[in-house]
Each structure stands twice: as C-alpha cells, then as structure tokens.
Amino acid sequence: MLRAILIDDEENSLNALKQKLIQHCPSVEILASYSVPVEAIAGMDAYKPDIVFLDIEMPVLNGFNLLQQVSFKNFEP
C-alpha cells in the first residue's frame, strides 16, 4: 500500500482528488490532506509519505518552494 499526502489550496480540487483516489486506487492510503501549504511541511516530515500529490501554483508558497523546505524527501514527487 502506498501512503500519500495531498496538497492543494483549492478545497474543491482536493476533495475531488480524494474521491478519485478512494474510488479508483484502493492501494493508496491517504495519510493527510492540506489546503494550506505551510501546514503541509510539518505533515510531510511527520508522516513520511511514499507519494505526494502536490499542486504547483498556490498562493504564498508554491509547490516547488514547499519541496525546498521539507526535510523528508524520500517519496515520488
């Protein structure tokens, strides 16, 4: 089972992705989801996911900048 974290500033997109993963990818366990990118940094370091679904264009902190601030990077971006 792959352990995943979802990050998207748009709640509708985040919820749609969750539903699609639940419906079509039973081998993916959703550990957490974040709509505030800054909060996702601590979550990624704490959960240590196998895979991250990350929106790139987000206000304040885009996806690339977020990845630079994360300590744990042993996942499939």
Side-chain angles (χ1 to χ4, degrees):
M1 172 138 332
L2 286 174
R3 299 163 7 104
I5 286 183
L6 318 179
I7 307 165
D8 195 323
D9 63 307
E10 296 178 22
E11 285 286 337
N12 291 339
S13 297
L14 195 57
N15 290 331
L17 177 58
K18 282 183 201 177
Q19 290 306 313
K20 291 194 184 306
L21 287 171
I22 290 168
Q23 195 171 44
H24 301 289
C25 302
S27 63
V28 175
E29 174 189 3
I30 300 171
L31 300 173
S33 60
Y34 298 93
S35 59
V36 179
V38 175
E39 294 174 3
I41 296 168
M44 288 175 64
D45 286 335
Y47 285 111
K48 298 178 178 24
D50 299 310
I51 189 166
V52 175
F53 293 86
L54 174 62
D55 186 12
I56 298 301
E57 293 187 30
M58 297 182 289
V60 180
L61 185 64
N62 72 38
F64 294 116
N65 293 348
L66 184 146
L67 288 176
Q68 290 175 339
Q69 296 184 33
V70 174
S71 298
F72 176 78
K73 294 181 181 168
N74 191 23
F75 56 83
E76 294 294 326

